[in-house]
Amino acid sequence: MRRLFPLPVPAPAETPTGTPAETSAATPAGISVETPAEDREWALDELADAYAYPEPPHGPSGAYLRANMVSSLDGAAHHDGRSKPLSSDADMRIFGVLRGLADAVVVGAETVRREGYRPARAREAFAERRAALGQPPAPAIAVVSASLDLDFSRPLFTEPLVPTIVITGATAAEERIEAARAAGAEVVFAGAGPSGRVDAAAVVAALAELGHTRLLTEGGPTLLAEFAAAGVLDELCLAVAPLVTAGDAKRIMNGPVLGEPERFTLASVLEEAGFLFTRYRRIYQ
């Protein structure tokens, strides 16, 4: 893996008299255009430092919500219904690091069903870092579902290291709420409207009230679009796979159109085997 942006800036070269050497207009002081980014395997600690949450991890919503998604070159968020065919070993390492840094992983019910979600696991590589921040050994998985059409006998609900959170709306059926609680899940309500829909901004606020301020969403495209439309998406970590799929797969966001495009700024780019791992942060107006 190599860092493409931002590149480290070497110290200016010195002349024999001890003064910085002159540079041309094409090569500013301190920048070497002839030294390529080093291609090597990154340790998990290095990746964790590169993707660390801002401290304190609070955006305008009261928490900091980052998304982690993968896309093909032609914009597909999945192939044959799953994101795995677009992934790589480096993508999975970063996936694990982002989870290792988060308080909670927020995901839509359809993605849970399609991808066969399991509980997040504790990893020794992040134990010291998490303990220093007062985090439990593993992040909680927070499933967003208005209908609670979920299989509560699955390990995600019955075997988590940290209780799974189920986020639903005001009209969820009482029997489904009780089934979730009986399986050991913590039920949280986010959205009081008669439609029963879950309010994206309320999801972030509810998790922040539980003390989960370092949030990671892994989609799917509908939930991610709702977060963007609600103005609570602070960061997007997008892996661009060197693959084309054609077909009619959804983009990484598939939902309501924003009134005005939301602007983000490039924070970093890593590359491995043709995959680009980009990180964009929202610009607050």
Side-chain angles (χ1 to χ4, degrees):
M1 179 174 289
R2 57 193 179 123
R3 185 191 297 274
L4 301 183
F5 177 84
L7 288 173
V9 179
E14 292 190 351
T15 65
T17 61
T19 58
E22 292 185 1
T23 57
S24 69
T27 308
I31 303 290
S32 171
V33 297
E34 298 183 11
T35 303
E38 182 183 5
D39 192 0
R40 59 182 176 79
E41 184 172 342
W42 283 40
L44 290 179
D45 275 345
E46 290 179 281
L47 286 171
D49 288 341
Y51 282 95
Y53 281 85
E55 293 295 339
H58 298 162
S61 64
Y64 191 89
L65 176 66
R66 71 163 36 134
N68 183 34
M69 300 292 284
V70 64
S71 170
S72 67
L73 289 176
D74 54 327
H78 58 79
H79 181 65
D80 197 24
R82 301 189 67 196
S83 59
K84 187 175 181 179
L86 303 180
S87 187
S88 68
D89 288 345
D91 183 45
M92 293 310 298
R93 287 202 307 275
I94 292 173
F95 174 91
V97 167
L98 294 182
R99 281 194 165 197
L101 298 174
D103 295 335
V105 178
V106 192
V107 63
E110 179 59 29
T111 299
V112 166
R113 290 188 290 263
R114 187 177 64 245
E115 301 279 359
Y117 262 59
R118 298 183 63 84
R121 58 191 180 92
R123 299 181 62 185
E124 183 61 32
F126 304 107
E128 185 175 343
R129 188 183 295 260
R130 294 185 67 85
L133 293 172
Q135 295 174 305
I141 304 294
V143 184
V144 179
S145 175
S147 67
L148 296 185
D149 180 16
L150 298 161
D151 184 354
F152 294 115
S153 68
R154 302 287 296 178
L156 176 61
F157 302 101
T158 61
E159 301 176 8
L161 186 62
V162 178
T164 294
I165 301 168
V166 176
I167 305 175
T168 193
T171 62
E174 189 62 34
E175 62 268 22
R176 298 307 297 162
I177 295 172
E178 291 306 315
R181 288 172 173 160
E186 181 176 2
V187 179
V188 172
F189 295 93
S195 68
R197 292 183 60 84
V198 178
D199 180 81
V203 168
V204 174
L207 289 169
E209 287 181 6
L210 294 175
H212 301 309
T213 55
R214 299 172 185 85
L215 301 179
L216 169 67
T217 181
E218 297 168 351
T222 300
L223 180 61
L224 183 53
E226 290 173 353
F227 281 136
V232 294
L233 180 64
D234 299 295
E235 182 178 306
L236 174 62
C237 298
L238 175 62
V240 181
L243 304 167
V244 294
T245 68
D248 57 358
K250 294 178 181 178
R251 298 182 303 163
I252 64 166
M253 294 190 194
N254 187 67
V257 177
L258 276 66
E260 291 291 336
E262 193 77 64
R263 188 165 183 81
F264 285 65
T265 186
L266 182 64
S268 67
V269 183
L270 305 177
E271 184 273 339
E272 183 171 300
F275 283 77
L276 296 178
F277 301 99
T278 68
R279 185 182 183 192
Y280 288 87
R281 286 179 172 169
R282 180 181 168 197
I283 299 175
Y284 302 105
Q285 303 301 324

